[in-house]
Amino acid sequence: MYHMVREHIPSAKFNKLRVTPRAFEQQLHWLSTQGFHFFTMQELRALWKAGQLPAKSVAITFDDGYEDNLINALPLLQKYQAKATIYVVVDRHDNDWATYKKAHHNNGELMREPKLSDLQVQALVDSGCIEIGSHTMTHVNLGKLNDEKLRLKELTESRTQLQQLTGQPVESFAYPFGIYGQADVEAARAAGYQDAVTVAEGIDPAHPLPDFLQLKRIKISGKDTLLAFRIRLRTGKRGWK
Ligand SMILES: [Zn+2]
């Protein structure tokens, strides 16, 4: 699970979400030399269900829809013939989602980060190595949403709009903040998603088949060294445990 691929901002709060281009390239290089196979989420799911997933399979994901995903990440993905899935928030401009989680100490840092324009989203799709998934309409905190209609709108409307924008089926979803309950899993299913990722840290086993609407992820921090990255790829988590 990545967010941004860009240089850090001195003394900024969210540098964990900023993996530098140099670190990202080191990580891709390592994955590639280790023999990992890169898949989009749709590809990963299809092979997994068919029992044809190679032992070393990885799906790189980016949350939110930052412009650097196109400018900095895509050229590196192409260099290593890698693929990725980007979970795009439909209303991503001038939207300060950091405030929804922690209202205090927020200074609009994430709101000021440039987001992908619609044309840029289309350019990513045209590259042939990017799948676009949904991250809701507004980056809503589903845990605080009690309105059933609004919940379905966040899930369904975002899927419809992203399908129109990309001309591709949108089957993959990421729960904003990783906050969700059983009602959200059911709503994601009802909205037509075939797979959804959480922020529960870990690696789902090849067998038995996981719940494809509650997949675990490995958090990649902008503060990790390559060694820390390798440990996370092995354990799913930070550190050796
Ligand atoms: Zn997000």
Side-chain angles (χ1 to χ4, degrees):
M1 173 177 66
Y2 293 87
H3 289 78
M4 291 171 261
V5 173
R6 56 154 289 168
E7 298 301 330
H8 288 188
I9 297 174
S11 71
K13 186 182 164 205
F14 289 106
N15 281 332
K16 271 190 189 172
L17 303 184
R18 297 184 180 95
V19 174
T20 66
R22 186 181 134 80
F24 186 56
E25 173 153 23
Q26 283 181 333
Q27 293 163 5
L28 287 172
H29 181 262
W30 183 81
L31 289 168
S32 166
T33 53
Q34 291 294 307
F36 274 90
H37 300 263
F38 298 97
F39 296 115
T40 64
M41 288 304 297
Q42 291 190 20
E43 291 169 344
L44 189 84
R45 168 171 40 83
L47 289 169
W48 207 333
K49 283 188 172 171
Q52 293 170 358
L53 204 57
K56 287 185 172 181
S57 295
V58 67
I60 292 172
T61 66
F62 294 93
D63 284 9
D64 302 338
Y66 297 97
E67 187 182 40
D68 58 55
N69 296 180
L70 172 72
I71 294 169
N72 297 334
L74 180 65
L76 292 170
L77 291 167
Q78 288 172 321
K79 180 172 174 182
Y80 291 92
Q81 294 176 297
K83 295 180 175 184
T85 301
I86 302 179
Y87 298 105
V88 173
V89 177
V90 173
D91 296 331
R92 58 197 173 279
H93 304 285
D94 303 313
N95 179 348
D96 196 359
W97 40 76
T99 57
Y100 295 103
K101 199 171 180 189
K102 289 177 186 165
H104 45 295
H105 14 258
N106 180 59
N107 59 6
E109 185 185 325
L110 295 182
M111 187 173 72
R112 286 194 302 275
E113 286 290 345
K115 310 301 185 306
L116 293 163
S117 70
D118 285 355
L119 276 175
Q120 288 175 319
V121 171
Q122 287 167 337
L124 284 161
V125 172
D126 290 343
S127 77
C129 55
I130 301 291
E131 175 188 340
I132 299 297
S134 167
H135 200 34
T136 71
M137 291 299 295
T138 64
H139 207 283
V140 64
N141 181 341
L142 292 167
K144 288 190 178 164
L145 199 65
N146 294 317
D147 186 326
E148 223 28 60
K149 271 190 201 151
L150 259 184
R151 187 201 316 276
L152 260 182
K153 184 166 183 278
E154 285 281 347
L155 294 160
T156 309
E157 181 68 17
S158 60
R159 180 163 180 253
T160 305
Q161 288 205 23
L162 289 169
Q163 288 188 152
Q164 280 168 358
L165 175 64
T166 60
Q168 305 279 332
V170 170
E171 299 179 350
S172 303
F173 180 74
Y175 301 98
F177 312 110
I179 299 171
Y180 70 100
Q182 198 54 40
D184 305 304
V185 175
E186 294 316 319
R189 197 188 317 278
Y193 296 104
Q194 312 273 338
D195 53 79
V197 291
T198 66
V199 298
E201 287 191 279
I203 301 168
D204 287 301
H207 320 274
L209 288 180
D211 180 346
F212 283 97
L213 289 172
Q214 295 184 71
L215 294 171
K216 291 177 182 166
R217 285 195 287 181
I218 301 171
K219 287 184 193 174
I220 308 303
S221 166
K223 303 205 166 167
D224 279 353
T225 60
L226 184 62
L227 175 63
F229 173 84
R230 288 165 53 184
I231 293 168
R232 283 198 204 232
L233 260 289
R234 174 158 305 198
T235 64
K237 297 178 186 176
R238 204 170 160 210
W240 282 111
K241 279 186 281 182

